Amino acid sequence: MSKLPEITLFFWIMKICATTLGETAGDLLSMTLKVGYAMSSIILISVFLITLIVQLNSNKHHPLLYWAVIISTSTAGTTMSDYMDRTLALGYMNGSIILLASLLVILTFWRLTVRDLSVVNIKTTKVEMLYWSAILFSNTLGTALGDFLADDSGLGFGGGALLISSLIGLVVIAHFYSNISKILLFWIAFILTRPLGATVGDLLTKAHDKGGFDLGTIGSSAVLLIILGIFVVHSIRKQRKTEIAAIAPDFELLESEMEGRG
C-alpha cells in the first residue's frame, strides 16, 4: 500500500496552500516572534524530523500526517533559505544555485540506486527518505527563488507570482500535450509551486504600501490553516470511503459463505 497521495488537482491546491502556510508560519516564528533565523531553522527542522519519523513508521497513507510533514518542510525551508541569505550572506541567487545542486544530487542518487523516480508507488523506507529529502530541498529552493523574484528581480510580489503561475501553466500544457517525462514535470511543478507559495505568502502578509494585503503573519497563517484543514478533512473522508468500498466485497463473500454453510 502506497503511503503517498494521488497526484490530482486537489493535491496541487493543497500543496500551494501548505507551502504558502509554510512561508507565513516561518516568518511568524523568525520575524514576528523575533526568534531569529538560526534558532527558527533548528526548531523547524526538529519539527520536520519528528513528523518525518512518525510518517516513516506509519503503515499507510494518513492525509493529516502527510500534510503535516509537507508544512514542516515548507516552514523549515523558509527559515533555511533566509538563514543562507541573511545570516550567511550568500544572497538569494547563490543560495538557489547551492540548493538546486543539492536537489540534483539527491535525485541523481535516487535514480542510480533505485532506478525509478516514481512519486506515487513508494513503499520502502529508503525510497521514502529520498522522497522527503528531495521535498525539503525543493521547498527550500522554491523559497529562495520566490524571494529572489519578489525582492531582487524588480518584479515585486504580484509580478513574481504572475511569472511563476505562467511557468506552472506551461508545465500543465506539457503534461497533457507533450511526451516529456511525467516524473520530471512533477518535480518542476513541485519546485515552482514553492516560490508561488512564497510570493503569495508575501502578498498576504506585507503592508498595503508594499503591495500586499496586510494580513500579517498571524492572520495569514490562520486563514491558510483553516483552508488546508478543510481539504485535509475532505481527503480523510474520501480515503475512508475508498477503504470501505475496497473491503465491502470481502464482507459480501464471507456473508455468502456463512449462508451457504447454514
Side-chain angles (χ1 to χ4, degrees), residues 6 19 29 43 61 80 84-85 92 96 122 141-142 149 151 165 168 170 179 196 251 261-262:
E6 291 183 79
T19 52
L29 186 62
I43 293 172
H61 172 58
M80 286 169 61
M84 293 175 67
D85 171 61
Y92 292 128
S96 297
I122 294 179
L141 170 61
L149 292 175
D151 297 335
S165 298
I168 292 175
L170 292 177
N179 294 323
L196 177 61
F251 278 115
R261 291 174 183 174

Side-chain angles (χ1 to χ4, degrees), residues 63-95:
L64 181 60
L65 178 57
Y66 176 86
W67 289 106
V69 184
I70 290 290
I71 293 173
S72 67
T73 62
S74 300
T75 52
T78 297
T79 54
M80 286 169 61
S81 174
D82 289 339
Y83 179 71
M84 293 175 67
D85 171 61
R86 298 167 190 177
T87 304
L88 299 181
L90 292 175
Y92 292 128
M93 180 57 71
N94 290 332

Side-chain angles (χ1 to χ4, degrees), residues 44-62:
L44 294 172
I45 289 174
S46 299
V47 172
F48 163 65
L49 291 175
I50 292 171
T51 55
L52 178 60
I53 290 172
V54 177
Q55 166 70 20
L56 291 174
N57 283 281
S58 66
N59 56 9
K60 68 174 185 176
H61 172 58
H62 298 280

Side-chain angles (χ1 to χ4, degrees), residues 203-225:
L203 188 65
L204 292 174
T205 58
K206 300 302 181 184
H208 294 301
D209 58 356
K210 293 184 178 180
F213 291 141
D214 200 18
L215 295 179
T217 55
I218 297 176
S220 298
S221 298
V223 170
L224 290 165
L225 187 60

